[in-house]
Amino acid sequence: MNSWHRYDAPLLPEFLERFEARWGQGTAPFLDPEIHELPVPRAQWVNADTGAALAVVPMWTVDERRRCFAVLYLPPVSGIWLLRPGITDYVESRDEEELRLRNDAFKKAVDHARAFIHGAGP
């Protein structure tokens, strides 16, 4: 039985803490667990047996409109891994076509996360 379970709550604070410990303070506003409405969509899983966690989140740098979906893995003890789901870039917009592209990019990142959880190749 797989001990990974979907975790539909605000992002775990460890994602922000470990990301900023690795890449610097202030580098991950998209991981702030206090932000409940933005950024979306996102998905999160936890492993009940090991304490590991996995999240699919939109991330950006200076230009908040140009984003990509990242798959972040928290090993049980420390550190953070950025898993590469391939190209998941999109532009944040209310335009119907851009929303479709965002949703497609999200689905691709979630599929990559699920493959990681289940030990399947991409």
Side-chain angles (χ1 to χ4, degrees):
M1 183 174 153
N2 194 325
S3 57
W4 285 96
H5 301 284
R6 191 67 196 265
Y7 185 74
D8 294 321
L11 282 175
L12 296 169
E14 288 83 1
F15 283 105
L16 177 63
E17 293 164 9
R18 292 189 194 183
F19 194 98
E20 289 188 340
R22 181 165 181 188
W23 286 291
Q25 190 72 23
T27 56
F30 45 85
L31 293 175
D32 188 341
E34 298 300 315
I35 299 174
H36 299 289
E37 295 190 27
L38 289 175
V40 291
R42 59 186 177 201
Q44 183 174 214
W45 297 264
V46 295
N47 185 310
D49 292 343
T50 66
L54 189 71
V56 173
V57 296
M59 55 188 296
W60 60 88
T61 55
V62 177
D63 180 359
E64 290 190 17
R65 290 194 68 233
R66 297 201 177 279
R67 300 180 179 190
C68 71
F69 284 103
V71 180
L72 302 173
Y73 170 68
L74 297 180
V77 179
S78 66
I80 187 169
W81 298 358
L82 177 60
L83 307 179
R84 304 279 182 200
I87 298 171
T88 60
D89 296 348
Y90 68 98
V91 175
E92 185 62 31
S93 165
R94 295 192 187 278
D95 176 83
E96 188 173 322
E97 177 64 15
E98 288 175 344
L99 284 174
R100 187 187 65 72
L101 293 173
R102 180 201 67 185
N103 293 341
D104 289 348
F106 179 68
K107 181 184 179 318
K108 180 179 183 178
V110 167
D111 289 346
H112 186 78
R114 286 186 178 135
F116 178 83
I117 286 171
H118 298 293

